[in-house]
Amino acid sequence: MRAKRMNIISAALAVGLVCISSVQNANAYFTTYVTAKGGYEVSWEHHEKITEEFVDWNKYVTITSEEGSIPVYVRVKAFAGSSYQLVYEGTGWTYNSADGYCYYDSVLQGGGTATGLRVGIDNVPANPKEGMDFNVVVVYETIPVQYGADGSMIEPAKADWTQRKTSQATYGE
């Protein structure tokens, strides 16, 4: 009788150990970053870089996605203080006056570059004084491409931007 009880307890402990050891593997399944056997890293992220050039009271903005990044939507907003009004101009960009952002109309694919966006300064002084202080702050944001319930791609301006992963501000002249 005692041997039978010991066999049952041993079997229960063995089953418990197997269950406990599999919990770590199940947890790894639900993460977005895993390391595969052999050291191969898998990552479902996106990384973009903004490049700016300031020439003749215009700021030229270009956003490039790193190779291997997931497709994303892009939007840009610039600030220049209350005494200057900004004008956005670029092929493939749409300005939304409701929120003040300029949206890239296409999906930015991994390794791709968005068409250039010019942020122009309206009402530039006719004779700017030497040493006149001026600063343009450009903020860009990206989010992964989103799809509606019917499977169709959502327009960038109508996407849920609260899900954004990248937000970067750059300061210029």
Side-chain angles (χ1 to χ4, degrees), residues 91-107:
T91 303
W93 291 89
T94 302
Y95 179 72
N96 183 340
S97 60
D99 63 8
Y101 280 93
C102 196
Y103 292 86
Y104 187 54
D105 298 330
S106 301
V107 172

Side-chain angles (χ1 to χ4, degrees), residues 9-70:
I9 291 172
S10 296
L13 286 173
V15 169
L17 286 173
V18 169
C19 290
I20 290 172
S21 66
S22 65
V23 170
Q24 184 178 9
N25 293 338
N27 185 32
Y29 175 76
F30 295 107
T31 62
T32 59
Y33 178 84
V34 296
T35 302
K37 189 172 185 176
Y40 294 100
E41 292 182 358
V42 180
S43 178
W44 292 275
E45 296 183 17
H46 56 93
H47 301 280
E48 296 78 29
K49 179 183 175 190
I50 187 169
T51 307
E52 299 179 22
E53 185 178 357
F54 188 78
V55 178
D56 295 329
W57 295 86
N58 291 291
K59 187 165 259 195
Y60 298 92
V61 178
T62 305
I63 299 170
T64 304
S65 176
E66 287 184 7
E67 192 68 41
S69 290
I70 62 171

